[in-house]
Structure formats: C-alpha cells, structure tokens
Amino acid sequence: MTATLNRPRFAVPGMPHPLRTTALCVALLALLVVAVVAALCLGDVMLSPADVLGVATGTADGGTTLIVTDFRLPRVFAGVLAGACLACSGTLLQSLLRNPLASPDVVGVSHGASAGAVLLLAAGISPGFVPLAALAGAIVTATALVLLGWKHGLSGERIVLIGIGLSSIFTAVITWAVVTFPITVAQQALLWTAGSLFGRTWTEVGWAGLAAVAVLPIALVQLRRLGVLELGDDLARGLGLRADRARLGLLVTAVVLAATAVALGGPITFIALGVPHLARALAGPPRPITPTPGTLLLGALLGAVLVVAADIVAESGLPQPVPVGVITATLGAPWFCWLLVRSARAERPATERRTA
C-alpha cells in the first residue's frame, strides 16, 4: 500500500518513467551538439570550436566558411537525419511485427534501396541520382511486401518471412552487378552498400529533411494505434480500429523513414536494429516493446548521436577513412550478440537457473 501511495501519479506501471525519459533526451541532445561541433572541427583541415562559432556568427574568413558550410555541415546533417530515421523505423517495425529482431534490413527495405542505387550506377547514370534510385528501390520493396504478404490482412510473421526472401533476391542482384560490371562501377557500388555519408549535398539533405519533418509527426500520431493493436485484432476491432488498415499505415511510415535514411547514407547497419534495444534499456523497462512518444524521441536522438559519432571515427579516427557503416557494424555486432545472450539468460525460468 505504501509503495502504491508513494508512486507518482503520472508513472504508469510497465511503462518508461516520463521524467527519466525527458532527462535522457536532454542529455542526448547536449551530447548531439558536442558531436556535431566535433564533426565540424575534425578533418583534413583542423578547425577550432571558435572557428565554427565564427562561421555561425558570420565573422569567419571565406575559406573556413566554405569548409564548414559546403563540405562538413551537409554531411553532419545527413548523419543526424539518417540516424534518427533509421532508429524510428526500427522502433516501429519491431513493435508492429512483434519481433525484436525486425528492422529495415530484415524485411528487405535496405537491400531493395541498395539494389536500386547499384543498378543506377551500373547503368552509368550520374551518381547525383543515387538517392532517388535508392528511394525507388525501397518503395518497390514495400509494394512487394504488401502485395505478397496480404492474405486476409497483413501478418507480421508473413511479412518477416517475405522480407527475408526479398533481401536474398536483392543481395543476389547487388552481387551480380558488382562482379559483372567494370571495376570502377563495382567500387562505387560497394561504397554505397557499405553505408557512407561522403559527398552529401544540401539538396539531398534538404529533401530528406522535408521527408523526415513530414513523416515523423505521423509516426507519433500512429503510436496510439500500436498500443491498441497489441491487444489483438479482435479487441482492436471491438474498439473501433481497423487493424489491417492501421498495420498498413504503420508499415508505410516505417518504410518511408528507412528509405529516407538509406537514400542519404546507404544501408548503415545496426542503427535500426540495435538503437530501439538501447533506448528501451536506457528508459526501462525493456518490455513491453510498444514505444511511447518519449522513447521514440529518445531513440531518434540516440540514433543521430551514434551515426554522427561513428562518422567522426570513420573519417578522422583511423589511418584511412572508411564508410560509416563499417564502424557501426564493427561496434554493433558484438554488442548485439552480448545483448541476445543476456536476454536469453534473463528469460530462463528461475527454477531452471537454480538447477543449472
């Protein structure tokens, strides 16, 4: 009784504490600012924070302004947008499909986008159209998911299985392009499929920013439907929600977010898969996996910080620059294996742990 009376009225049992989530969002926002300033300072030409501040206030010289505004700032914004969109897409997909291993990579969206970009490069079309080709590939993948996965409604398990099949098909297409076309085309294709923010322009960042600003509020509005879908289709229909239509809308939102990110930086691995787990571990409790607006924002900030930080390491922390996707995959894979082992141990019955 005492514990019940002492519990804050706004704390819902089984859900992340709003004050803790807010504090984490503020801390991550401050960390993102530090990461952005560091990314603007580091590079072949080293700048100081005062130089960057001079660009912001208009007192820097022309060379410094050119380096910051034309070369580094678009890349940094691309990293922020790609990380936030991938994290939100992974969060929605894991909750929608009720599968903690679901992500745009698993359901084939990232591979479809990569295949579109690689085929465009193989056709000899200007690399400036690569983001559009990636977006088209993601849309084709989403359309195939819905058409092949629709059988008296959308089933999460069926979508995952079809997505794995589509991923295999697109991987084969990418491999065929890499081994068939000239070495220069193969190098460009491999760079894209590894996930890279190199050479991003204000035009690409602007279009991606508009897409993110348009879709993220829709994702926030749709979170309430996720909670209703968690009750089961029959109860959801009893509450007046058309489950299949709601599920389709959430799937489209997640695909558009993933396509926006892939169009900017290619298939940057681990972010969409691992960040939702990290966000839940920070905000607690780790279950249920249905996100709240606070945890979705927390995941977006965490994804942005991780991508910008990984890009700093990829560009300036190694003897030779590498694609940012190499860093996220290298750091993310061991951590995720450890997370899986820890989750499996936590889910073992207490009696089994005692007798082991």
Side-chain angles (χ1 to χ4, degrees):
M1 177 64 72
T2 303
T4 303
L5 291 176
N6 290 338
R7 181 185 301 134
R9 285 181 296 176
F10 43 76
V12 181
M15 298 295 287
H17 197 293
L19 288 182
R20 181 178 181 181
T21 304
T22 302
L24 286 169
C25 287
V26 172
L28 282 173
L29 187 60
L31 194 59
L32 180 60
V33 172
V34 173
V36 166
V37 173
L40 294 177
C41 292
L42 298 175
D44 293 336
V45 178
M46 300 294 290
L47 302 175
S48 67
D51 294 329
V52 175
L53 183 61
V55 174
T57 57
T59 58
D61 59 78
T64 302
T65 302
L66 179 68
I67 292 173
V68 172
T69 59
D70 286 10
F71 296 107
R72 295 183 183 176
L73 207 50
R75 179 170 181 157
V76 171
F77 275 132
V80 171
L81 286 172
C85 289
L86 281 174
C88 290
S89 178
T91 302
L92 291 178
L93 282 176
Q94 288 179 12
S95 182
L96 175 65
L97 303 180
R98 309 303 302 165
N99 188 332
L101 298 180
S103 73
D105 303 329
V106 174
V107 300
V109 175
S110 298
H111 292 84
S114 300
V118 170
L119 291 177
L120 178 133
L121 293 172
I125 301 175
S126 170
F129 292 98
V130 163
L132 290 178
L135 185 61
I139 292 174
V140 169
T141 308
T143 304
L145 275 177
V146 173
L147 293 178
L148 297 175
W150 190 279
K151 185 177 181 182
H152 309 297
L154 282 174
S155 164
E157 182 180 356
R158 194 159 52 243
I159 288 177
V160 170
L161 293 175
I162 293 173
I164 293 174
L166 291 175
S167 297
S168 300
I169 293 173
F170 290 130
T171 301
V173 171
I174 293 171
T175 304
W176 168 77
V178 168
V179 300
T180 304
F181 289 91
I183 186 65
T184 54
V185 174
Q187 288 176 342
Q188 288 181 320
L190 286 175
L191 181 64
W192 175 265
T193 55
S196 174
L197 298 172
F198 176 77
R200 296 285 78 82
T201 65
W202 279 117
T203 302
E204 296 164 354
V205 172
W207 281 111
L210 288 175
V213 168
V215 176
L216 284 175
I218 297 175
L220 289 172
V221 172
Q222 290 176 318
L223 289 182
R224 182 174 297 179
R225 298 177 183 175
L226 268 177
V228 178
L229 288 174
E230 194 176 304
L231 302 174
D233 286 2
D234 292 337
L235 190 52
R237 292 189 187 97
L239 293 173
L241 179 68
R242 300 183 65 172
D244 291 330
R245 179 176 293 185
R247 199 170 282 119
L248 179 60
L250 284 160
L251 179 63
V252 171
T253 301
V255 167
V256 172
L257 287 171
T260 301
V262 176
L264 269 178
I268 302 174
T269 55
F270 172 70
I271 300 300
L273 181 62
V275 166
H277 293 273
L278 272 174
R280 286 193 295 272
L282 288 173
R287 293 180 184 279
I289 63 175
T290 301
T292 65
T295 56
L296 189 69
L297 176 62
L298 178 66
L301 289 170
L302 188 57
V305 170
L306 287 178
V307 171
V308 173
D311 194 47
I312 293 174
V313 175
E315 181 66 15
S316 307
L318 299 174
Q320 292 291 332
V322 297
V324 63
V326 175
I327 303 299
T328 57
T330 303
L331 298 179
W335 177 86
F336 196 72
C337 291
W338 172 80
L339 180 66
L340 288 177
V341 172
R342 184 185 178 190
S343 300
R345 289 177 177 174
E347 290 176 356
R348 288 172 59 188
T351 54
E352 182 179 345
R353 291 198 297 268
R354 284 196 297 268
T355 56

